[in-house]
Amino acid sequence: MYLEFYSQVYAPPVEIEESKNGYRISMELPGSLRDDIKVWAEQGILTITGEKKAPFSDSEEEKGSRLMAERVFGKFSRSFQLPEDADTSRIEANFDNGILTVEIPKSEKAKPKDIRIN
Amino acid sequence: MLNIVKREPRYGWGLLNLRDEMNRMFHNFFDEYDQRENFWAPSVDIVEDKNKLTLTAELPGVDKKDVKISIQNNVLVIEGEKKQKTEKKEDNYYRSERFYGKFCRSFTLPSELDSEKIDADYSNGVLTVTLPKSDKVKPRQIEIK
């Protein structure tokens, strides 16, 4: 079962950045379609799942005609624990040029604030 | 230079592939460490059917303008650069698994292709190059008279 799990689910590469206003997760999903990707946040955990479908059928006949096979297809899933200052109600996701970008703003409370001395 | 060689497809990163991957890693580490720093290779699939070869390369986040495809003496070369978006100084990186920088791959093509009719398209982060076979080698039925 362990083996089966790893041969069916793969983890696309991501990049996580933090700026003053929030966090950004970008994931490489070349060839995936917007509709095949699902992003949700639950109890402080952000999950991205989906399926990268192969553009050809999986029949034996087709397999034999793949002269080079480096691309990985199939289901993918990755989860990220969000920091406490993440505002899960305002998460935005965008898919462009094979890159999924998820923007997670910091909650207003957590932002640095200058305090004026009276 | 990479010849087109028939190879079993690799689905996922199963444990069965692990030994091969480890061998490859050790082999490559000392040889190519210096070059690898600013150099990566996109994953490529080549599928053959009756009429054509279709090459697909994964280039997520690459600008179409930064990719160059050329063909000379039956060698197809795909090169370009994946640029990182303007880096802000105040940003902290927590994790970075993505590669940036220049890439270049070349493929020796079988001679029966019609190099005049090669077509390339880039969408959703995938570059697709269609290489039609010349009419001479297409299967043809011969009628018995």
Side-chain angles (χ1 to χ4, degrees):
Chain A
M1 199 182 140
Y2 191 68
L3 212 152
E4 202 177 301
F5 177 80
Y6 276 101
S7 59
Q8 286 184 357
V9 179
Y10 84 102
V14 294
E15 201 161 84
I16 306 174
E17 298 156 72
E18 182 195 0
S19 68
K20 241 187 342 211
N21 298 319
Y23 303 89
R24 182 188 304 122
I25 298 176
S26 53
M27 184 182 267
E28 293 190 345
L29 295 168
S32 302
L33 295 172
R34 193 185 302 261
D35 302 339
D36 296 331
I37 308 169
K38 225 161 129 189
V39 184
W40 75 92
E42 194 179 22
Q43 294 182 349
I45 291 175
L46 181 90
T47 306
I48 303 170
T49 61
E51 187 172 0
K52 197 167 122 190
K53 287 179 187 142
F56 43 82
S57 70
D58 211 12
S59 70
E60 278 304 311
E61 197 187 321
E62 285 278 337
K63 251 191 210 172
S65 63
R66 274 179 100 189
L67 303 174
M68 192 173 272
E70 296 170 349
R71 297 178 60 193
V72 180
F73 299 102
K75 292 192 171 116
F76 58 85
S77 175
R78 288 198 80 163
S79 296
F80 308 92
Q81 172 104 48
L82 295 174
E84 269 181 27
D85 58 2
D87 186 349
T88 50
S89 62
R90 292 189 293 140
I91 294 178
E92 269 179 36
N94 201 346
F95 185 71
D96 183 40
N97 241 358
I99 308 264
L100 174 77
T101 311
V102 184
E103 303 264 5
I104 307 135
K106 285 182 187 173
S107 60
E108 290 298 329
K109 269 187 288 180
K111 273 188 195 164
K113 232 183 287 173
D114 286 330
I115 289 144
R116 211 159 41 116
I117 302 163
N118 291 321
Chain B
M1 199 73 65
L2 211 52
N3 281 304
I4 297 175
V5 181
K6 218 165 234 196
R7 215 173 87 172
E8 271 302 299
R10 188 185 69 191
Y11 292 104
W13 294 83
L15 280 180
L16 292 174
N17 290 324
L18 194 63
R19 198 187 60 186
D20 291 345
E21 286 298 327
M22 288 295 272
N23 283 341
R24 196 179 53 82
M25 245 164 64
F26 277 112
H27 189 79
N28 288 343
F29 185 74
F30 297 103
D31 288 357
E32 294 173 23
Y33 185 72
D34 290 338
Q35 299 146 23
R36 278 182 155 236
E37 214 152 339
N38 286 312
F39 204 84
W40 62 280
S43 303
V44 170
D45 266 14
I46 298 176
V47 178
E48 181 183 7
D49 67 23
K50 251 192 338 221
N51 301 317
K52 61 183 188 301
L53 292 182
T54 310
L55 181 151
T56 50
E58 297 192 338
L59 300 168
V62 176
D63 200 321
K64 203 158 63 175
K65 291 193 297 264
D66 295 332
V67 185
K68 217 173 82 188
I69 306 165
S70 58
I71 186 159
Q72 194 180 22
N73 296 336
N74 272 337
V75 177
L76 177 82
V77 181
I78 301 172
E79 59 187 318
E81 190 175 354
K82 183 153 89 168
K83 289 176 183 153
Q84 199 159 7
K85 277 192 191 137
T86 44
E87 215 174 308
K88 283 181 239 143
K89 266 227 170 94
E90 69 261 30
D91 283 6
N92 293 321
Y93 276 83
Y94 275 83
R95 189 181 188 95
S96 187
E97 300 165 347
R98 297 175 52 194
F99 289 99
Y100 295 98
K102 291 196 171 123
F103 60 86
C104 179
R105 289 199 72 166
S106 47
F107 308 89
T108 308
L109 302 172
S111 53
E112 64 264 28
L113 293 176
D114 193 344
S115 59
E116 298 290 311
K117 287 187 194 149
I118 292 174
D119 205 25
D121 176 67
Y122 179 77
S123 75
N124 273 339
V126 177
L127 174 77
T128 307
V129 185
T130 314
L131 309 138
K133 290 181 184 173
S134 65
D135 292 330
K136 267 183 281 178
V137 293
K138 273 185 199 162
R140 185 159 58 100
Q141 277 209 314
I142 291 138
E143 238 178 285
I144 303 163
K145 283 178 187 161

